[in-house]
Amino acid sequence: THSSNNNISLSSSSCPTCLSQGPPPRRMNFSLDLKDAEAARCLREQEELKMLGPEVQVCFVLPSEKSFTKTFRMGNLVEHLKVAVQSESNIPFEDQELYMGETLMADPLMIRDLWKNEKEELRVSVKQLKSSSKKLEDTLSDKQESKMKSGDVIETEEVDEEYAV
């Protein structure tokens, strides 16, 4: 490998496999200009942003009535919105339901599937479901209660593997 002035050149004669088979019939040089690579990366990013569509402002209203606004693209998934809510409010991703008015915003959908006017701010209400630890408590309580009804002995150390932390 030879490097000079931000160019990387590769020669076919530098390959150990080729050398073991004898010298190549001709020498091939490849050159990669790092400026061209950077320009290609920027072009790819611009294409990705174009595919995601125009920007839209999303105003999140949390269960505490506190709100915050973030900018997204119309092609972003609802999951991206949930990640933003988690980072701003510490409500775990899996414990969130997002609503646009009365409409539940399902995870696999994109903003553009639910909202057509990127020029208007989208208001999203965040509802918090039971937390994961509360679900575990409830599940254990339900199992203990059913054992009490059946007359079985209750062991306080019992934990269902499915809900083990």
Side-chain angles (χ1 to χ4, degrees), residues 97-105 111 113-116 121-126:
E97 281 187 347
L98 304 183
Y99 288 88
M100 184 182 70
E102 299 293 317
T103 305
L104 175 64
M105 300 175 77
I111 295 171
D113 297 330
L114 302 160
W115 186 249
K116 302 301 178 196
E121 182 178 79
L122 170 60
R123 285 187 69 80
V124 174
S125 299
V126 180

Side-chain angles (χ1 to χ4, degrees), residues 129-146:
L129 305 172
K130 285 184 177 181
S131 71
S132 300
S133 60
K134 182 70 176 148
K135 288 178 191 174
L136 174 60
E137 269 180 34
D138 291 349
T139 301
L140 292 176
S141 296
D142 291 345
K143 285 185 176 234
Q144 289 176 346
E145 187 177 313
S146 68

Side-chain angles (χ1 to χ4, degrees), residues 41-54:
R41 186 186 63 76
C42 288
L43 184 60
R44 242 186 346 270
E45 287 176 2
Q46 289 173 354
E47 288 297 317
E48 287 173 10
L49 288 176
K50 189 186 292 184
M51 288 174 53
L52 285 173

